[in-house]
Amino acid sequence: MYIWAIDLGMQFKHPEILWAFFLLLIPIIIHLLQLRKFKKTPFTNVALLQKVVVESYKSRSLKKWLLLLSRMLLLAALVLAFSQPFVSGSTALKPKETVIYLDNSFSMQAKSEGLPILERAVQDLLQHINDATVFSLFTNTETYRKVTVGEIQDRLLDLQFSAKQYDLDAAMRKANTLFSKDGDTKKDFIFISDFQSRKVAQDTLKGIIAHYVKLTPDSYANVSIDSAYLKKNVGGQDELTVSLSGSPTGASLPISIYNADQLIAKTAASFTATGKANIAFSLPADEKINGKIVIASNGLGYDDVFYFNINDKEKINVLAISATDVNYLGRIFTEDRFAFSYRRPDQVDLTAIEDQNVIILEDLKEVPNSLQKTLANFKENGGSIIIIPSIESDMESYGQFISQFYPITFHQLVENEQRITSITFDHPLFKDVFEKRVTNFQHPTVNSYYSITANVPIALSFQDGSPFLIGGDGLYLFTAPVTSENSNFKNSPLIVPTFYNMALFSLKNPELYMTVGREHVVDLPITLGKDNMVRVSKNGYEFIPQQQSLAKKTRLFFNENPIVDGIFQIGDNNRAYGHISFNFDRKESDPQYFDPMRLPTAPDQRSIASLFTFLAAESSIDPYWKWFVILALFFVVVETLIQKFVR
């Protein structure tokens, strides 16, 4: 163990050997004994001899002093050599802990000298970490505690790219859990990343020295497939629009669409001055497609493929219970997508309600208690209810029924003409319905409406801000009748997307595609047995999503799974029910990077090699025992020369 020995920067590995300096007394004692004086009696006839003896004595005395000095220096050099002196930095002797964060997010696919920068970073780590060094390392997906490089070498070489990404603060907190609580150790945290889309660190943890290494690709250019959306029934065909971004003006890029492994369309994308491109493809209407969109890009690889699927749509059962004519609903709920039926209040078979997906109550004076109980069970089992009151409705009856689902208070019928002027574009009913947020549409009007108080999302509202259509999650309420006598809403273009989406959301069919890591809900029109579970699988990758069994359907919840993209099959032990597509979030496609040198505590290290050279210099120890051995040999030579030439 190294300890301090003196205050001049010199330290000794074996300071206990310094006690041997007391051995220097031995040559001193011997020398003193040799210098004892004797009294001589001179004779007259030997006066000349006396002069010669005095001169010889002085010569012998000088030689003995020189020999004493050389022997003492020889012995001192040997003592110092065996105590092994050295010089080190202020932290070289402290116990050290090292934690490394290696970013393996998708942006690390960018290349440097022909290799992805992640692969090059792994090679540099394997090359520069000492085989005996114990450290901890974590990526966006894996954590390795107190390992050597040999123990995780194979895992690092097989490290896969991930959709996850730590920001600076989160990585620092994660690293803190891997360090010990010992305050006497030197803690080095090494952050290796390209710093794509990183937020500036707000705090640094006390006692941790952070080192940031920014990996830079040869080029930041990247083209990505951002999104795709489907327009139904355009000229007898479906139209798929694909959005791309990232290419400079005038560049042309091949883009292909496959159904499974079969090429069904190919064209070239031309980009605008903003680096955007929208490409439209015509697809056969209502044809089942397991689609894959592919571009040839030299940038990141993860965003060059985009998955989507068009499944066979299950028909949605819609039942209208109304005291008036509802022919307009029959024109909205067409046979290709819906199974629409109509009953008068006195003709309703309550047992048939559970077979429906949507129940529309229109122009009823009241909601009978027997119907309320049936509808409550229907709603609890995942059904959707749309309520349109009449001028003569008993709003106490309506309030009693609706208050089972959310608090609402009906006030009075307001007989005052109002225009429907505001669309809540972020409401699920109208999200993605309009290409842009229109404000100059032809406003429908009502002659009278019910004033209400309810803490419920508003989808449509009047010019004074009061609600016309409220609700969500399977329960919707119009505050005014939509009969021709009270409103021209039936003639408005708004009526089709409004009713269509309210019914469509009753059965949450798989979307064109979903995003890995986000929350999604899918309904299957099936009822599973107790021992049966829905599974989602793709090429050997399988998981069981969270699922809820309702009366006439099974609801699937996707959040943490899947962790890979692609087209997945949904099925149970008996059959397959369709496919679902997942794509990675495109947030890492945008080449926006943060410079860690902006951080006030960041050492200026531009490569892994330079960082480890810097850390090695901090931990270096300069031994001097060899120089003292050489010095001892020198004094041996000096003594030999004195013995030979000094007379």
Side-chain angles (χ1 to χ4, degrees), residues 3 49 63-64 122 168 301 354 374 384 407 444 465 472 482 504 509 519 530 574 585 594 608 611 625 632:
I3 63 173
L49 179 62
K63 181 177 181 179
K64 289 178 181 179
V122 169
L168 297 178
E354 65 179 18
T374 303
S384 293
V482 297
L504 198 64
N509 286 295
E519 294 184 0
K530 292 183 179 180
N574 302 317
D585 195 310
F594 170 72
I608 294 175
L611 172 62
W625 65 270

Side-chain angles (χ1 to χ4, degrees), residues 526-597:
I526 59 172
T527 303
L528 297 174
K530 292 183 179 180
D531 298 328
N532 204 0
M533 301 288 287
V534 174
R535 290 175 168 80
V536 180
S537 60
K538 176 200 117 170
N539 298 332
Y541 176 85
E542 182 179 271
F543 66 95
I544 299 176
Q546 181 185 351
Q547 44 201 279
Q548 179 184 10
S549 294
L550 301 174
K552 291 296 180 181
K553 61 186 177 183
T554 298
R555 178 161 290 177
L556 307 180
F557 300 88
F558 297 90
N559 186 0
E560 295 182 356
N561 283 309
I563 59 174
V564 298
D565 61 348
I567 300 176
F568 296 80
Q569 184 181 73
I570 303 176
D572 58 18
N573 296 332
N574 302 317
R575 56 169 288 194
Y577 298 107
H579 292 82
I580 185 171
S581 295
F582 281 89
N583 294 292
F584 289 118
D585 195 310
R586 269 26 186 184
K587 64 182 179 181
E588 292 195 57
S589 300
D590 185 16
Q592 300 295 325
Y593 294 85
F594 170 72
D595 186 0
M597 295 307 117

Side-chain angles (χ1 to χ4, degrees), residues 119-136:
E119 184 175 340
R120 187 164 295 281
V122 169
Q123 292 180 356
D124 287 344
L125 284 174
L126 296 179
Q127 179 181 352
H128 292 96
I129 297 179
N130 190 286
D131 292 341
T133 301
V134 177
F135 61 96
S136 297

Side-chain angles (χ1 to χ4, degrees), residues 240-498:
L240 179 71
T241 301
V242 181
S243 297
L244 300 92
S245 65
S247 182
T249 307
S252 181
L253 188 71
I255 177 171
S256 305
I257 295 183
Y258 294 84
N259 183 7
D261 295 327
Q262 180 183 0
L263 179 65
I264 59 176
K266 186 173 184 179
T267 187
S270 297
F271 292 81
T272 65
T274 60
K276 303 290 185 180
N278 290 319
I279 311 299
F281 295 91
S282 294
L283 303 177
D286 298 322
E287 180 177 319
K288 184 178 179 180
I289 296 177
N290 292 325
K292 180 174 67 173
I293 308 169
V294 180
I295 61 173
S297 170
N298 292 325
L300 307 180
Y302 88 100
D303 55 11
D304 293 345
V305 179
F306 197 91
Y307 299 95
F308 71 95
N309 64 277
I310 302 173
N311 289 317
D312 295 330
K313 297 294 191 299
E314 296 286 343
K315 287 192 174 183
I316 298 174
N317 298 322
V318 181
L319 171 62
I321 303 175
S322 176
T324 59
D325 179 41
V326 290
N327 288 335
Y328 74 98
L329 293 177
R331 293 191 295 270
I332 295 173
F333 301 125
T334 55
E335 294 182 358
D336 62 331
R337 191 69 183 87
F338 302 93
F340 176 73
S341 58
Y342 158 68
R343 294 289 184 273
R344 297 186 65 84
D346 55 354
Q347 298 174 339
V348 176
D349 180 4
L350 297 181
T351 60
I353 287 181
E354 65 179 18
D355 295 327
Q356 307 300 316
N357 300 112
V358 183
I359 301 294
I360 301 175
L361 305 179
E362 181 176 6
D363 205 34
L364 301 184
K365 292 185 178 180
E366 64 176 1
V367 184
N369 289 333
S370 58
L371 183 58
Q372 287 190 29
K373 293 180 180 179
T374 303
L375 290 177
N377 291 331
F378 170 76
K379 174 68 172 60
E380 185 178 350
N381 288 323
S384 293
I385 302 173
I386 303 171
I387 301 174
I388 310 172
S390 72
I391 296 294
E392 301 175 352
S393 290
D394 177 7
M395 300 317 295
E396 183 178 349
S397 170
Y398 277 88
Q400 178 183 354
F401 171 62
I402 298 174
S403 61
Q404 299 179 68
F405 310 106
Y406 49 71
I408 187 171
T409 302
F410 286 89
H411 300 296
Q412 72 276 355
L413 181 67
V414 179
E415 295 183 352
N416 181 32
E417 182 177 303
Q418 285 271 26
R419 289 190 303 161
I420 304 169
T421 59
S422 299
I423 303 171
T424 306
F425 293 99
D426 293 329
H427 193 282
L429 289 179
F430 303 114
K431 192 175 183 180
D432 300 327
V433 170
F434 304 94
E435 293 184 0
K436 59 181 181 178
R437 301 197 170 195
V438 294
T439 56
N440 58 346
F441 62 94
Q442 184 178 0
H443 303 299
T445 61
V446 300
N447 297 325
S448 58
Y449 63 95
Y450 287 98
S451 174
I452 67 169
T453 300
N455 187 17
V456 184
I458 300 175
L460 296 172
S461 54
F462 297 120
Q463 62 194 53
D464 64 355
S466 56
F468 170 66
L469 172 61
I470 64 172
D473 193 25
L475 182 63
Y476 304 92
L477 170 68
F478 288 86
T479 62
V482 297
T483 57
S484 300
E485 293 78 14
N486 188 66
S487 173
N488 62 352
F489 183 68
K490 292 180 181 179
N491 301 323
S492 169
L494 280 177
I495 191 171
V496 175
T498 301

